Amino acid sequence: MKSQLGTLATELKRKIEAREARIGIVGMGYVGLPLALLFSEEKFRVTGFDIDNRKVEALNAGGSYIVRIPGTEIQGAQKSGFSATADYGKISEMDAVIICVPTPLNEFHEPDLSYITQTVDAIAPRLREGQIVILESTTYPGTTEEVVVPLLEKGNAKGLKVARAEDEGDFFVAFSPEREDPGNDTVARRDIPKVVGGVGKLASEIAAAVYGTIFNRTVPVSSPAAAEMTKLLENIYRCVNIALVNELKQLCHRMDIDIFEVIDAAKTKPFGFQAFYPGPGLGGHCIPIDPFYLSWKAKQFDFRTKFIELAGEVNIAMPYYVIDKTVEALNQHKKSLNGSKVLVLGLAYKKDIDDLRESPSLTIIELLRKGGAEVFYNDPFFAKVGHGRHYDLNMTNTPLENLGQYDAVLIVTDHSDYDYQRIVKESKLVVDSRNATKGITSEKIVRC
Ligand SMILES: NC(=O)c1ccc[n+]([C@@H]2O[C@H](COP(=O)([O-])OP(=O)(O)OC[C@H]3O[C@@H](n4cnc5c(N)ncnc54)[C@H](O)[C@@H]3O)[C@@H](O)[C@H]2O)c1
């Protein structure tokens, strides 16, 4: 005979299959909102939870605040029952609750799990039997079982317990990392395999059933910790390889070799090499941050993650390298940085996206200002920049006109819409940290 838990699991899987399951997504940001839209496309009734009332209001008015998501997609989702709310009371109506809240570092470069713990504290009292809670926020291995599960169990007055075995427990918990690559349209979201690791076999099966409706392939692993570690391995792999090419770029400059030519040649090898590209430094909410979640956790095991630390050191130094090269380039033009007018082209941490988080442009602008330059910026995605966690700039977008007035135009983000031929033609000096001017020959260009 089936246990009560087995019956709950079977019923939840039936509801998922029939698209009757209610999906709640907590955190309507870059990860949560696209996920909500995917479930809506599959005709699930989705509720988006966010503590930011401006986002809730925008979504309920059928609008979007993420450039690559048009308002029409939100309106389409509304037809399948999508709505947003700041009211956690509705959590108990959900069958699956997926958490997509931020996981930054604190001022000491340590994991800041406060967004996760606040979210879980708000879910716990509303938890009911037979629900699945899935964490998607990137974090160190152990978070789901060591932090999320105890808070859920302690925080519900009904004494509900997580299902660890097939015949004991009341609700399900899993971890499933997000693998989105903002701005990369070469792989459809559906085609990105979804890794899932449940606390217990039933949770893994249910999490795979949930994501199996919107992804073509799910990849179950044996535990939440294995799924958490998978995400970190992927991001650390990127971080370390980017650091490697950033270091080699600096050597290549000294040796007068074009690193981009070298990478293009190396990537013709049909096996054993994947191309990574150097740049002005790392940005975004993932690569500069996630590896340090693991370094922190590793200390608990008396282990130093030397690769992560070294990669961090190289990548963090890149904006300083760009400044050194800009100073040298100005010097060649008999100018000092102090008193020069510099236009920074592109603020986003990578091309064609509207995300400023951890962008190297912010450090570069601060360093230019510190060096006495008069700094301007142009970026089609940002009309103004005020202040954030690590910067206080207070600047407005400068039109891309009259480029001859600047002593240097510094390319930090290689947005596709820029006409680089025109930029080089009209500028006195172009410092290019992205190889955006590839193929253009001019003495005015300094590549760094
Ligand atoms: N952005 C990416 O490309 C990406 C890719 C892979 C993984 N991730 C991971 O996904 C997670 C979310 O990242 P993101 O880029 O979507 O962040 P984001 O800042 O764009 O969105 C997070 C949202 O959560 C909301 N929020 C914060 N606390 C809340 C709470 N207590 N209750 C409800 N809502 C709350 C915020 O208001 C915000 O709208 C992070 O762990 C990140 O590392 C992000």
Side-chain angles (χ1 to χ4, degrees):
M1 211 181 79
K2 233 179 199 173
S3 65
Q4 199 206 344
L5 187 66
T7 310
L8 287 172
T10 307
E11 171 58 6
L12 183 49
K13 284 193 240 172
R14 186 201 64 75
K15 284 172 107 177
I16 293 162
E17 182 74 16
R19 311 299 190 255
E20 286 169 17
R22 295 275 311 269
I23 311 281
I25 300 190
V26 187
M28 287 284 93
Y30 288 94
V31 167
L33 181 55
L35 192 65
L37 297 177
L38 279 180
F39 280 112
S40 295
E41 273 171 33
E42 269 304 315
K43 306 294 175 228
F44 282 99
R45 194 169 150 210
V46 181
T47 307
F49 294 82
D50 206 294
I51 46 170
D52 185 340
N53 273 315
R54 286 166 310 174
K55 288 187 178 168
V56 170
E57 279 164 23
L59 293 173
N60 287 336
S64 169
Y65 36 81
I66 296 179
V67 170
R68 68 199 146 88
I69 299 177
T72 47
E73 284 194 29
I74 312 290
Q75 293 146 30
Q78 284 175 323
K79 290 189 188 124
S80 307
F82 171 71
S83 64
T85 182
D87 174 12
Y88 267 98
K90 291 197 165 66
I91 283 286
S92 52
E93 295 169 27
M94 304 298 127
D95 295 293
V97 179
I98 304 178
I99 303 171
C100 308
V101 295
T103 42
L105 294 170
N106 68 17
E107 57 186 311
F108 306 109
H109 236 62
E110 293 166 346
D112 173 2
L113 288 191
S114 60
Y115 295 92
I116 292 185
T117 54
Q118 279 162 22
T119 301
V120 177
D121 280 341
I123 293 171
R126 280 109 184 173
L127 203 62
R128 63 168 173 75
E129 274 184 341
Q131 275 180 322
I132 183 161
V133 177
I134 306 173
L135 180 64
E136 280 218 14
S137 304
T138 308
T139 183
Y140 58 78
T143 309
T144 305
E145 296 217 54
E146 294 162 15
V147 178
V148 174
V149 168
L151 287 178
L152 286 175
E153 288 185 334
K154 260 189 243 146
N156 78 82
K158 296 170 226 153
L160 301 179
K161 295 281 172 223
V162 71
R164 292 185 187 280
E166 283 180 56
D167 54 359
E168 59 175 67
D170 310 286
F171 63 92
F172 307 98
V173 173
F175 181 84
S176 178
E178 168 56 46
R179 282 173 151 173
E180 204 201 2
D181 183 13
N184 178 355
D185 296 328
T186 57
V187 186
R189 274 303 286 288
R190 255 191 179 282
D191 290 330
I192 305 173
K194 193 81 169 113
V195 173
V196 293
V199 179
K201 186 166 163 278
L202 286 176
S204 282
E205 283 173 15
I206 295 166
V210 169
Y211 289 115
T213 61
I214 55 166
F215 292 101
N216 290 334
R217 187 175 160 216
T218 53
V219 183
V221 292
S222 62
S223 64
E228 288 158 339
M229 190 65 154
T230 303
K231 174 69 187 173
L232 291 182
L233 169 62
E234 291 166 8
N235 281 357
I236 291 162
Y237 173 77
R238 277 188 71 72
C239 179
V240 167
N241 277 289
I242 293 169
L244 175 67
V245 286
N246 275 336
E247 186 175 79
L248 291 183
K249 169 171 90 164
Q250 296 174 56
L251 173 64
C252 281
H253 279 151
R254 284 204 198 172
M255 298 174 76
D256 204 18
I257 296 170
D258 178 353
I259 181 78
F260 290 96
E261 184 189 358
V262 172
I263 295 170
D264 283 347
K267 78 176 187 196
T268 59
K269 186 178 175 187
F271 45 81
F273 182 84
Q274 189 191 342
F276 287 86
Y277 294 94
L282 292 181
H285 185 36
C286 299
I287 312 292
I289 294 172
D290 303 346
F292 296 101
Y293 267 67
L294 190 62
S295 310
W296 178 84
K297 185 68 179 174
K299 287 188 194 131
Q300 242 183 44
F301 295 83
D302 269 346
F303 194 93
R304 244 188 85 208
T305 50
K306 298 194 267 299
F307 269 102
I308 295 175
E309 282 161 35
L310 181 60
E313 219 173 274
V314 173
N315 289 328
I316 284 168
M318 291 315 290
Y320 296 83
Y321 179 73
V322 170
I323 295 297
D324 287 349
K325 289 288 153 189
T326 307
V327 169
E328 270 175 34
L330 284 166
N331 194 35
Q332 292 290 326
H333 283 231
K334 303 200 185 322
K335 291 265 172 193
S336 67
L337 181 61
N338 196 348
S340 283
K341 276 175 94 170
V342 179
L343 175 69
V344 170
L345 220 51
L347 290 188
Y349 78 85
K350 69 175 182 176
K351 70 173 175 183
D352 304 336
I353 65 166
D354 60 335
D355 194 344
L356 252 191
R357 290 176 296 178
E358 313 293 324
S359 179
S361 64
L362 304 167
T363 310
I364 286 172
I365 290 175
E366 278 174 349
L367 292 173
L368 288 169
R369 280 181 168 175
K370 234 185 223 169
E374 195 185 350
V375 189
F376 304 82
Y377 84 85
N378 176 274
D379 190 309
F381 292 103
F382 305 100
K384 52 182 190 251
V385 245
H387 60 90
R389 277 172 74 86
H390 306 293
Y391 60 93
D392 189 6
L393 295 181
N394 195 21
M395 297 168 85
T396 50
N397 191 46
T398 306
L400 209 54
E401 291 162 3
N402 197 6
L403 296 177
Q405 68 178 300
Y406 303 106
D407 297 297
V409 172
L410 171 52
I411 301 173
V412 177
T413 315
D414 49 342
H415 288 311
S416 306
D417 279 352
Y418 285 139
D419 177 349
Y420 293 103
Q421 286 278 5
R422 173 174 89 84
I423 288 164
V424 173
K425 192 163 158 233
E426 293 178 12
S427 306
K428 286 186 202 147
L429 167 66
V430 175
V431 181
D432 179 4
S433 70
R434 293 278 190 182
N435 204 28
T437 57
K438 181 181 176 182
I440 304 173
T441 314
S442 166
E443 285 187 356
K444 293 187 214 168
I445 303 171
V446 171
R447 295 193 171 95
C448 72

Short mmCIF file of all heavy atoms in Angstrom, two decimals, residues 11-63:
data_model
loop_
_atom_site.label_atom_id
_atom_site.label_comp_id
_atom_site.label_asym_id
_atom_site.label_seq_id
_atom_site.Cartn_x
_atom_site.Cartn_y
_atom_site.Cartn_z
N GLU A 11 -0.11 12.75 -6.40
CA GLU A 11 -1.10 13.79 -6.71
C GLU A 11 -0.42 15.05 -7.25
O GLU A 11 -0.89 15.66 -8.21
CB GLU A 11 -1.92 14.11 -5.43
CG GLU A 11 -2.86 15.30 -5.51
CD GLU A 11 -3.91 15.22 -6.63
OE1 GLU A 11 -4.01 14.18 -7.31
OE2 GLU A 11 -4.59 16.24 -6.87
N LEU A 12 0.73 15.40 -6.66
CA LEU A 12 1.44 16.59 -7.15
C LEU A 12 1.92 16.37 -8.58
O LEU A 12 1.79 17.25 -9.44
CB LEU A 12 2.60 16.92 -6.19
CG LEU A 12 3.42 18.17 -6.50
CD1 LEU A 12 2.53 19.39 -6.74
CD2 LEU A 12 4.39 18.48 -5.36
N LYS A 13 2.43 15.18 -8.85
CA LYS A 13 2.92 14.90 -10.22
C LYS A 13 1.74 14.92 -11.21
O LYS A 13 1.88 15.41 -12.33
CB LYS A 13 3.63 13.53 -10.26
CG LYS A 13 5.04 13.59 -9.66
CD LYS A 13 5.82 12.35 -9.98
CE LYS A 13 6.24 11.63 -8.74
NZ LYS A 13 6.83 10.34 -8.89
N ARG A 14 0.60 14.43 -10.77
CA ARG A 14 -0.58 14.46 -11.65
C ARG A 14 -0.96 15.91 -11.98
O ARG A 14 -1.22 16.26 -13.13
CB ARG A 14 -1.76 13.74 -10.97
CG ARG A 14 -2.99 13.59 -11.89
CD ARG A 14 -4.28 13.36 -11.10
NE ARG A 14 -4.67 14.47 -10.24
CZ ARG A 14 -5.20 15.61 -10.65
NH1 ARG A 14 -5.42 15.83 -11.94
NH2 ARG A 14 -5.50 16.57 -9.78
N LYS A 15 -0.95 16.75 -10.95
CA LYS A 15 -1.33 18.16 -11.17
C LYS A 15 -0.34 18.86 -12.11
O LYS A 15 -0.71 19.70 -12.91
CB LYS A 15 -1.37 18.91 -9.82
CG LYS A 15 -2.60 18.61 -8.99
CD LYS A 15 -2.49 19.22 -7.62
CE LYS A 15 -3.39 20.42 -7.44
NZ LYS A 15 -3.31 20.96 -6.07
N ILE A 16 0.95 18.47 -11.96
CA ILE A 16 1.97 19.09 -12.82
C ILE A 16 1.72 18.67 -14.27
O ILE A 16 1.68 19.49 -15.18
CB ILE A 16 3.40 18.68 -12.36
CG1 ILE A 16 3.71 19.27 -10.99
CG2 ILE A 16 4.45 19.11 -13.39
CD1 ILE A 16 4.88 18.60 -10.27
N GLU A 17 1.53 17.38 -14.44
CA GLU A 17 1.29 16.82 -15.78
C GLU A 17 0.07 17.47 -16.44
O GLU A 17 0.07 17.80 -17.63
CB GLU A 17 1.08 15.30 -15.61
CG GLU A 17 0.86 14.52 -16.87
CD GLU A 17 2.14 14.34 -17.68
OE1 GLU A 17 3.25 14.55 -17.16
OE2 GLU A 17 1.99 14.01 -18.84
N ALA A 18 -0.97 17.70 -15.63
CA ALA A 18 -2.23 18.26 -16.15
C ALA A 18 -2.19 19.78 -16.23
O ALA A 18 -3.19 20.41 -16.61
CB ALA A 18 -3.38 17.81 -15.26
N ARG A 19 -1.08 20.37 -15.85
CA ARG A 19 -0.92 21.84 -15.80
C ARG A 19 -1.90 22.48 -14.81
O ARG A 19 -2.28 23.63 -14.95
CB ARG A 19 -1.11 22.51 -17.19
CG ARG A 19 -0.32 21.89 -18.33
CD ARG A 19 1.18 21.98 -18.05
NE ARG A 19 2.02 21.62 -19.17
CZ ARG A 19 2.70 20.47 -19.29
NH1 ARG A 19 2.63 19.55 -18.35
NH2 ARG A 19 3.47 20.24 -20.33
N GLU A 20 -2.31 21.70 -13.83
CA GLU A 20 -3.21 22.25 -12.79
C GLU A 20 -2.42 22.77 -11.60
O GLU A 20 -2.96 23.45 -10.74
CB GLU A 20 -4.16 21.15 -12.27
CG GLU A 20 -5.24 20.77 -13.24
CD GLU A 20 -5.96 19.50 -12.79
OE1 GLU A 20 -5.85 19.10 -11.60
OE2 GLU A 20 -6.62 18.89 -13.64
N ALA A 21 -1.12 22.39 -11.52
CA ALA A 21 -0.32 22.83 -10.37
C ALA A 21 -0.14 24.34 -10.41
O ALA A 21 0.10 24.90 -11.49
CB ALA A 21 1.04 22.13 -10.40
N ARG A 22 -0.27 24.97 -9.26
CA ARG A 22 -0.04 26.42 -9.18
C ARG A 22 1.45 26.62 -8.90
O ARG A 22 2.02 26.03 -7.98
CB ARG A 22 -0.86 27.02 -8.02
CG ARG A 22 -2.37 26.92 -8.21
CD ARG A 22 -2.90 28.08 -9.03
NE ARG A 22 -2.44 29.37 -8.57
CZ ARG A 22 -3.07 30.14 -7.68
NH1 ARG A 22 -4.19 29.72 -7.12
NH2 ARG A 22 -2.59 31.33 -7.34
N ILE A 23 2.08 27.49 -9.70
CA ILE A 23 3.53 27.73 -9.55
C ILE A 23 3.74 29.11 -8.94
O ILE A 23 3.25 30.12 -9.50
CB ILE A 23 4.24 27.68 -10.93
CG1 ILE A 23 3.86 26.42 -11.74
CG2 ILE A 23 5.76 27.84 -10.77
CD1 ILE A 23 4.56 25.15 -11.36
N GLY A 24 4.48 29.17 -7.85
CA GLY A 24 4.82 30.45 -7.25
C GLY A 24 6.32 30.69 -7.42
O GLY A 24 7.12 29.80 -7.12
N ILE A 25 6.67 31.85 -7.93
CA ILE A 25 8.09 32.15 -8.10
C ILE A 25 8.43 33.37 -7.25
O ILE A 25 7.82 34.43 -7.40
CB ILE A 25 8.44 32.36 -9.59
CG1 ILE A 25 8.07 31.08 -10.33
CG2 ILE A 25 9.91 32.74 -9.76
CD1 ILE A 25 8.52 30.96 -11.72
N VAL A 26 9.39 33.19 -6.36
CA VAL A 26 9.74 34.27 -5.43
C VAL A 26 10.99 34.97 -5.95
O VAL A 26 12.04 34.33 -6.11
CB VAL A 26 9.99 33.73 -4.01
CG1 VAL A 26 10.19 34.89 -3.04
CG2 VAL A 26 8.83 32.85 -3.55
N GLY A 27 10.87 36.27 -6.23
CA GLY A 27 11.96 37.05 -6.82
C GLY A 27 11.70 37.21 -8.31
O GLY A 27 11.94 36.30 -9.08
N MET A 28 11.17 38.37 -8.67
CA MET A 28 10.82 38.62 -10.08
C MET A 28 11.93 39.41 -10.77
O MET A 28 11.70 40.47 -11.34
CB MET A 28 9.50 39.41 -10.16
CG MET A 28 8.27 38.60 -9.81
SD MET A 28 7.79 37.48 -11.15
CE MET A 28 8.63 36.00 -10.69
N GLY A 29 13.17 38.88 -10.69
CA GLY A 29 14.30 39.57 -11.31
C GLY A 29 14.70 38.93 -12.62
O GLY A 29 13.88 38.31 -13.31
N TYR A 30 15.98 39.03 -12.94
CA TYR A 30 16.50 38.52 -14.21
C TYR A 30 16.29 37.02 -14.36
O TYR A 30 16.17 36.51 -15.46
CB TYR A 30 18.00 38.82 -14.32
CG TYR A 30 18.29 40.28 -14.54
CD1 TYR A 30 18.58 41.13 -13.47
CD2 TYR A 30 18.29 40.83 -15.83
CE1 TYR A 30 18.85 42.47 -13.67
CE2 TYR A 30 18.56 42.17 -16.03
CZ TYR A 30 18.83 42.99 -14.94
OH TYR A 30 19.09 44.32 -15.14
N VAL A 31 16.26 36.30 -13.24
CA VAL A 31 16.06 34.85 -13.29
C VAL A 31 14.58 34.50 -13.13
O VAL A 31 14.01 33.73 -13.91
CB VAL A 31 16.90 34.16 -12.19
CG1 VAL A 31 16.49 32.71 -11.99
CG2 VAL A 31 18.38 34.23 -12.55
N GLY A 32 13.95 35.05 -12.12
CA GLY A 32 12.58 34.65 -11.78
C GLY A 32 11.56 35.03 -12.83
O GLY A 32 10.65 34.24 -13.13
N LEU A 33 11.67 36.22 -13.39
CA LEU A 33 10.64 36.66 -14.35
C LEU A 33 10.64 35.80 -15.62
O LEU A 33 9.58 35.30 -16.02
CB LEU A 33 10.80 38.16 -14.66
CG LEU A 33 9.77 38.74 -15.62
CD1 LEU A 33 8.34 38.50 -15.16
CD2 LEU A 33 10.00 40.25 -15.83
N PRO A 34 11.80 35.57 -16.28
CA PRO A 34 11.77 34.70 -17.47
C PRO A 34 11.24 33.29 -17.14
O PRO A 34 10.55 32.70 -17.95
CB PRO A 34 13.25 34.63 -17.90
CG PRO A 34 13.89 35.82 -17.30
CD PRO A 34 13.14 36.13 -16.05
N LEU A 35 11.56 32.82 -15.94
CA LEU A 35 11.09 31.48 -15.55
C LEU A 35 9.55 31.49 -15.43
O LEU A 35 8.87 30.57 -15.90
CB LEU A 35 11.72 31.12 -14.19
CG LEU A 35 11.60 29.70 -13.73
CD1 LEU A 35 12.37 28.76 -14.65
CD2 LEU A 35 12.15 29.57 -12.30
N ALA A 36 9.03 32.55 -14.84
CA ALA A 36 7.57 32.68 -14.71
C ALA A 36 6.93 32.66 -16.11
O ALA A 36 5.89 32.03 -16.32
CB ALA A 36 7.23 33.98 -13.98
N LEU A 37 7.57 33.33 -17.05
CA LEU A 37 7.00 33.41 -18.41
C LEU A 37 7.03 32.04 -19.08
O LEU A 37 6.10 31.68 -19.80
CB LEU A 37 7.75 34.45 -19.25
CG LEU A 37 7.64 35.89 -18.71
CD1 LEU A 37 8.48 36.84 -19.55
CD2 LEU A 37 6.19 36.36 -18.66
N LEU A 38 8.10 31.28 -18.84
CA LEU A 38 8.17 29.93 -19.43
C LEU A 38 7.03 29.04 -18.92
O LEU A 38 6.38 28.34 -19.69
CB LEU A 38 9.51 29.26 -19.07
CG LEU A 38 10.74 29.62 -19.90
CD1 LEU A 38 11.94 28.84 -19.38
CD2 LEU A 38 10.52 29.30 -21.37
N PHE A 39 6.79 29.09 -17.61
CA PHE A 39 5.70 28.28 -17.05
C PHE A 39 4.34 28.78 -17.58
O PHE A 39 3.45 27.98 -17.86
CB PHE A 39 5.70 28.33 -15.51
CG PHE A 39 6.72 27.40 -14.90
CD1 PHE A 39 7.82 27.89 -14.22
CD2 PHE A 39 6.56 26.01 -14.98
CE1 PHE A 39 8.76 27.04 -13.65
CE2 PHE A 39 7.49 25.14 -14.40
CZ PHE A 39 8.59 25.66 -13.74
N SER A 40 4.23 30.09 -17.73
CA SER A 40 2.96 30.64 -18.26
C SER A 40 2.72 30.16 -19.68
O SER A 40 1.60 29.84 -20.05
CB SER A 40 2.98 32.17 -18.24
OG SER A 40 3.04 32.62 -16.92
N GLU A 41 3.81 30.13 -20.47
CA GLU A 41 3.67 29.65 -21.86
C GLU A 41 3.13 28.23 -21.90
O GLU A 41 2.45 27.83 -22.82
CB GLU A 41 5.04 29.63 -22.57
CG GLU A 41 5.42 30.95 -23.22
CD GLU A 41 6.86 30.90 -23.70
OE1 GLU A 41 7.35 29.83 -24.10
OE2 GLU A 41 7.51 31.96 -23.64
N GLU A 42 3.48 27.45 -20.84
CA GLU A 42 3.01 26.06 -20.75
C GLU A 42 1.63 25.97 -20.12
O GLU A 42 1.17 24.91 -19.73
CB GLU A 42 4.00 25.23 -19.94
CG GLU A 42 5.08 24.57 -20.75
CD GLU A 42 4.56 23.67 -21.87
OE1 GLU A 42 3.63 22.89 -21.63
OE2 GLU A 42 5.10 23.78 -22.97
N LYS A 43 0.99 27.16 -19.97
CA LYS A 43 -0.39 27.25 -19.46
C LYS A 43 -0.54 26.95 -17.97
O LYS A 43 -1.62 26.59 -17.49
CB LYS A 43 -1.36 26.34 -20.25
CG LYS A 43 -1.33 26.60 -21.75
CD LYS A 43 -1.85 27.99 -22.08
CE LYS A 43 -1.71 28.33 -23.56
NZ LYS A 43 -1.14 29.62 -23.84
N PHE A 44 0.57 27.06 -17.23
CA PHE A 44 0.44 26.99 -15.77
C PHE A 44 -0.07 28.35 -15.27
O PHE A 44 0.22 29.39 -15.89
CB PHE A 44 1.80 26.74 -15.11
CG PHE A 44 2.25 25.31 -15.20
CD1 PHE A 44 3.16 24.92 -16.18
CD2 PHE A 44 1.77 24.36 -14.32
CE1 PHE A 44 3.59 23.61 -16.26
CE2 PHE A 44 2.20 23.04 -14.39
CZ PHE A 44 3.11 22.66 -15.37
N ARG A 45 -0.77 28.32 -14.15
CA ARG A 45 -1.16 29.58 -13.51
C ARG A 45 -0.03 29.96 -12.57
O ARG A 45 0.24 29.25 -11.59
CB ARG A 45 -2.47 29.39 -12.76
CG ARG A 45 -3.09 30.69 -12.37
CD ARG A 45 -4.50 30.46 -11.89
NE ARG A 45 -4.86 31.47 -10.91
CZ ARG A 45 -5.69 31.29 -9.94
NH1 ARG A 45 -6.29 30.14 -9.78
NH2 ARG A 45 -5.96 32.28 -9.10
N VAL A 46 0.65 31.04 -12.88
CA VAL A 46 1.87 31.41 -12.14
C VAL A 46 1.63 32.66 -11.30
O VAL A 46 1.01 33.62 -11.77
CB VAL A 46 3.04 31.67 -13.14
CG1 VAL A 46 4.32 32.02 -12.39
CG2 VAL A 46 3.26 30.47 -14.04
N THR A 47 2.16 32.65 -10.10
CA THR A 47 2.14 33.87 -9.26
C THR A 47 3.58 34.27 -8.97
O THR A 47 4.38 33.44 -8.52
CB THR A 47 1.40 33.60 -7.93
OG1 THR A 47 0.11 33.06 -8.24
CG2 THR A 47 1.24 34.88 -7.12
N GLY A 48 3.90 35.51 -9.26
CA GLY A 48 5.24 36.03 -8.99
C GLY A 48 5.22 36.79 -7.67
O GLY A 48 4.37 37.67 -7.48
N PHE A 49 6.12 36.45 -6.77
CA PHE A 49 6.20 37.15 -5.48
C PHE A 49 7.44 38.04 -5.48
O PHE A 49 8.53 37.60 -5.86
CB PHE A 49 6.36 36.13 -4.33
CG PHE A 49 5.15 35.25 -4.15
CD1 PHE A 49 4.98 34.13 -4.94
CD2 PHE A 49 4.20 35.55 -3.18
CE1 PHE A 49 3.87 33.30 -4.77
CE2 PHE A 49 3.09 34.74 -3.01
CZ PHE A 49 2.92 33.61 -3.81
N ASP A 50 7.27 39.29 -5.07
CA ASP A 50 8.45 40.16 -4.92
C ASP A 50 8.16 41.21 -3.86
O ASP A 50 7.03 41.69 -3.74
CB ASP A 50 8.80 40.83 -6.26
CG ASP A 50 10.28 41.18 -6.33
OD1 ASP A 50 10.72 42.06 -5.53
OD2 ASP A 50 11.01 40.58 -7.13
N ILE A 51 9.20 41.55 -3.10
CA ILE A 51 9.01 42.58 -2.07
C ILE A 51 9.10 43.98 -2.66
O ILE A 51 8.80 44.96 -1.99
CB ILE A 51 10.05 42.44 -0.93
CG1 ILE A 51 11.45 42.25 -1.50
CG2 ILE A 51 9.70 41.32 0.02
CD1 ILE A 51 12.55 42.36 -0.46
N ASP A 52 9.52 44.07 -3.93
CA ASP A 52 9.64 45.37 -4.58
C ASP A 52 8.29 45.71 -5.23
O ASP A 52 7.94 45.19 -6.29
CB ASP A 52 10.76 45.30 -5.63
CG ASP A 52 11.04 46.64 -6.29
OD1 ASP A 52 10.15 47.51 -6.23
OD2 ASP A 52 12.13 46.81 -6.86
N ASN A 53 7.57 46.63 -4.58
CA ASN A 53 6.22 46.96 -5.06
C ASN A 53 6.21 47.55 -6.45
O ASN A 53 5.24 47.37 -7.18
CB ASN A 53 5.54 47.93 -4.08
CG ASN A 53 4.86 47.15 -2.97
OD1 ASN A 53 4.18 46.15 -3.24
ND2 ASN A 53 5.08 47.57 -1.74
N ARG A 54 7.31 48.23 -6.82
CA ARG A 54 7.33 48.82 -8.17
C ARG A 54 7.30 47.73 -9.22
O ARG A 54 6.64 47.84 -10.25
CB ARG A 54 8.60 49.68 -8.37
CG ARG A 54 8.54 51.01 -7.61
CD ARG A 54 9.90 51.62 -7.56
NE ARG A 54 10.88 50.64 -7.10
CZ ARG A 54 12.18 50.82 -7.05
NH1 ARG A 54 12.70 51.95 -7.46
NH2 ARG A 54 13.01 49.89 -6.60
N LYS A 55 8.01 46.63 -8.96
CA LYS A 55 8.01 45.50 -9.90
C LYS A 55 6.63 44.85 -9.95
O LYS A 55 6.11 44.53 -11.02
CB LYS A 55 9.08 44.47 -9.51
CG LYS A 55 10.48 44.96 -9.79
CD LYS A 55 11.52 43.89 -9.56
CE LYS A 55 12.90 44.46 -9.92
NZ LYS A 55 14.01 43.64 -9.49
N VAL A 56 6.03 44.67 -8.77
CA VAL A 56 4.71 44.04 -8.70
C VAL A 56 3.70 44.88 -9.50
O VAL A 56 2.95 44.37 -10.32
CB VAL A 56 4.27 43.90 -7.22
CG1 VAL A 56 2.81 43.48 -7.12
CG2 VAL A 56 5.17 42.89 -6.51
N GLU A 57 3.76 46.19 -9.29
CA GLU A 57 2.80 47.08 -9.98
C GLU A 57 3.04 47.06 -11.48
O GLU A 57 2.11 46.97 -12.27
CB GLU A 57 2.93 48.52 -9.46
CG GLU A 57 2.18 48.70 -8.15
CD GLU A 57 2.60 49.97 -7.42
OE1 GLU A 57 3.12 50.90 -8.06
OE2 GLU A 57 2.41 50.00 -6.18
N ALA A 58 4.32 47.12 -11.88
CA ALA A 58 4.64 47.12 -13.32
C ALA A 58 4.11 45.84 -13.97
O ALA A 58 3.47 45.88 -15.03
CB ALA A 58 6.15 47.23 -13.53
N LEU A 59 4.36 44.70 -13.33
CA LEU A 59 3.94 43.42 -13.93
C LEU A 59 2.41 43.33 -14.00
O LEU A 59 1.86 42.91 -15.01
CB LEU A 59 4.50 42.24 -13.12
CG LEU A 59 6.02 42.09 -13.16
CD1 LEU A 59 6.49 41.01 -12.19
CD2 LEU A 59 6.51 41.76 -14.58
N ASN A 60 1.75 43.76 -12.94
CA ASN A 60 0.28 43.67 -12.95
C ASN A 60 -0.35 44.65 -13.95
O ASN A 60 -1.47 44.45 -14.40
CB ASN A 60 -0.29 43.87 -11.55
CG ASN A 60 -0.02 42.64 -10.69
OD1 ASN A 60 0.17 41.53 -11.23
ND2 ASN A 60 0.02 42.81 -9.38
N ALA A 61 0.44 45.68 -14.31
CA ALA A 61 -0.05 46.61 -15.35
C ALA A 61 0.35 46.11 -16.74
O ALA A 61 0.18 46.80 -17.74
CB ALA A 61 0.53 48.01 -15.09
N GLY A 62 0.94 44.91 -16.80
CA GLY A 62 1.31 44.33 -18.11
C GLY A 62 2.59 44.92 -18.67
O GLY A 62 2.84 44.84 -19.86
N GLY A 63 3.43 45.48 -17.78
CA GLY A 63 4.68 46.10 -18.26
C GLY A 63 5.89 45.29 -17.82
O GLY A 63 5.80 44.45 -16.93
#
